[in-house]
Amino acid sequence: MNDQDKTVRIYAGIHGFGNPSWSGAAIYQSDDDGQSYYQIGNTTSPAKVGLVSAIVPYKETGVWDMTTEIEVTMTSGELLSKSELAVLNGENWCMIGQEMIGFQSAILISDKTYRLSKLLRGRQGTEVYASMHAANELFCSLDNLVRLEFADADRGKVKKFKVV
């Protein structure tokens, strides 16, 4: 997700579906097709996730998109507006479908629904996905993700995971 991110890894967005008493989760991995599992991580910070109901229109990437507005209804978490410099430095970045987008403005327009604007589209090589959006796409803020690192020898191997 940034220039220093060169290891074999995955990022997990874990949350309690908006449950205010959610206290966290442990992440388990199996290397033997689910016969046994061992803990590889945990979190007490819920991921910020939601759904984008309308198709995100294609716009040029690599420049500020000052016209597109995206409405996202959050399942968990809240969104905040950030300065242009903060967005340029990687804050307020999210995945919508397979496109990584930065947003400067997040305005609460109804219960758990935000309007995002002042966008940076196609971050970190995802510009090819800027024209491939569909209705009801997953929104996931890149804040509060759990980073799980693996050895180079694990590249290409199938693993199973459980979140408890």
Side-chain angles (χ1 to χ4, degrees):
M1 292 201 298
N2 59 52
D3 293 339
Q4 290 75 44
D5 218 357
K6 303 202 185 307
T7 61
V8 178
R9 78 282 183 223
I10 61 173
Y11 289 90
I14 300 168
H15 61 93
F17 292 95
N19 180 347
S21 64
W22 186 77
S23 60
I27 304 144
Y28 294 86
Q29 174 183 314
S30 174
D31 296 327
D32 57 9
D33 199 33
Q35 299 298 310
S36 62
Y37 285 85
Y38 56 94
Q39 187 173 346
I40 61 167
N42 61 26
T43 185
T44 57
S45 299
K48 300 175 187 177
V49 297
L51 284 178
V52 176
S53 59
I55 296 172
V56 177
Y58 174 76
K59 290 288 183 173
E60 184 178 356
T61 61
V63 296
W64 286 98
D65 175 356
M66 303 302 278
T67 59
T68 301
E69 293 181 337
I70 299 171
E71 288 188 13
V72 57
T73 301
M74 301 301 291
T75 302
S76 67
E78 297 176 346
L79 303 176
L80 300 171
S81 296
K82 298 282 183 166
S83 70
E84 183 176 301
L85 181 59
V87 176
L88 288 169
N89 285 327
E91 294 183 44
N92 268 11
W93 284 20
C94 64
M95 294 298 296
I96 297 176
Q98 295 183 64
E99 182 185 6
M100 188 181 292
I101 296 174
F103 60 93
Q104 187 178 348
S105 176
I107 309 248
L108 184 65
I109 58 173
S110 66
D111 186 38
K112 298 183 181 183
T113 300
Y114 292 83
R115 181 175 293 125
L116 309 181
S117 60
K118 300 178 184 172
L119 310 172
L120 275 179
R121 305 282 305 270
R123 306 285 80 204
Q124 298 295 336
T126 64
E127 63 275 354
V128 297
Y129 302 106
S131 63
M132 299 181 182
H133 291 283
N136 296 314
E137 280 188 301
L138 178 66
F139 168 95
C140 183
S141 171
L142 300 184
D143 301 336
N144 297 341
L145 297 182
V146 178
R147 179 185 168 114
L148 304 170
E149 293 192 35
F150 302 94
D152 283 339
D154 287 332
R155 190 179 304 273
K157 290 185 179 176
V158 175
K159 298 181 180 287
K160 290 189 174 187
F161 299 92
K162 285 185 181 181
V163 179
V164 179

